[in-house]
Amino acid sequence: MEPRGEKSGEADGVHVTPQLLKARSGEFALESILLLKLRGLGLVGLGCLGDCLGLEWLDLSGNALTQLGPLASLRQLAVLNVADNRLTSLEPLAACENLQRLNAAGNLLAGPAQLQCLAGLRGLERLRLRDPLARLSNPLCTSPCYWASVRELLPGLKVLDGERVSGRGSDFYQLCRDLDSSLSPDPGAPGPQPAEAQPWVEPGYWEAWPPRSSSILEEACRQFQDTLQECHDLDRQARDSLAQAARALSPAGAAATSFVF
């Protein structure tokens, strides 16, 4: 197991302190912290993080960590993200008996031996060691037998690198991997190589064309404006007629009419 002390070069970086933990979590007692996000803070040491004994969810991604010693005391930890750091070992995680999800992409894990410490974690179901979208990986992921070796070492995994490896949906991912393998060209194989893919439409096909004037459209718009104006005129005439009828039917209008007759 890795030592909990500082390594050379860590003294000048940011370390976890009780003040930092309380400020980030809003809790007054470290034992009360259940969820903690310490992403991208430039951390080089975890300090007193091991005192958060009730911690269940922890994000340490995007820092400069080289060791995870204090995490060995976090027996309730279920979800851990240590992606994009400088880790060469995950040994302290062997004591995190409730760990279910681990993201360690973007570190310096050299081979399957660095994953041996995870073999005793019976609840570990999801593991990520590479993330193509974020361009994060580990040296061990370049091995041709990477996938098979991780599966053999951790048979309880359900999801590896975002793909189902067991349970519902795993057959589909296996089919996709088999298709990729069969379609991938082998530069050393004899015979003609597959032609390079070409676009199926001409250049500029998807470019928007500039609007063109149409005499038919202009004439339709003119007629519409004329009709609309006629409607406004008819509406004004109808309002005038109604106003005259109202005045004629009023008592003052009736008296004037009887006087004339």
Side-chain angles (χ1 to χ4, degrees), residues 233-249:
D233 294 341
L234 291 174
D235 179 69
R236 186 173 58 255
Q237 294 177 9
R239 290 177 181 272
D240 293 342
S241 298
L242 290 174
Q244 293 177 4
R247 288 195 297 269
L249 295 175

Side-chain angles (χ1 to χ4, degrees), residues 77-91:
L77 190 62
V79 180
L80 175 63
N81 186 353
V82 290
D84 195 15
N85 278 281
R86 303 172 184 173
L87 300 173
T88 57
S89 173
L90 302 174
E91 188 67 28

Side-chain angles (χ1 to χ4, degrees), residues 120-131:
L121 302 179
R122 302 304 179 187
L124 185 62
E125 296 181 348
R126 295 173 179 263
L127 175 64
R128 182 179 287 278
L129 297 173
R130 61 182 176 183
D131 187 346

Side-chain angles (χ1 to χ4, degrees), residues 38-43 59-65 81-85:
L38 302 175
R39 181 178 184 179
L41 300 181
L43 296 176
D59 185 357
L60 293 170
S61 61
N63 288 291
L65 298 172
N81 186 353
V82 290
D84 195 15
N85 278 281

Side-chain angles (χ1 to χ4, degrees), residues 1-2 68-69 72 88-96 109 113-118 121:
M1 186 173 294
E2 297 182 7
L68 300 174
T88 57
S89 173
L90 302 174
E91 188 67 28
L93 302 184
C96 300
L109 303 176
Q114 278 67 46
L115 304 179
Q116 185 65 45
C117 58
L118 305 178
L121 302 179

Side-chain angles (χ1 to χ4, degrees), residues 6-15 42 44:
E6 295 180 358
K7 292 186 178 181
S8 59
E10 289 187 356
D12 297 333
V14 180
H15 291 260
V44 296

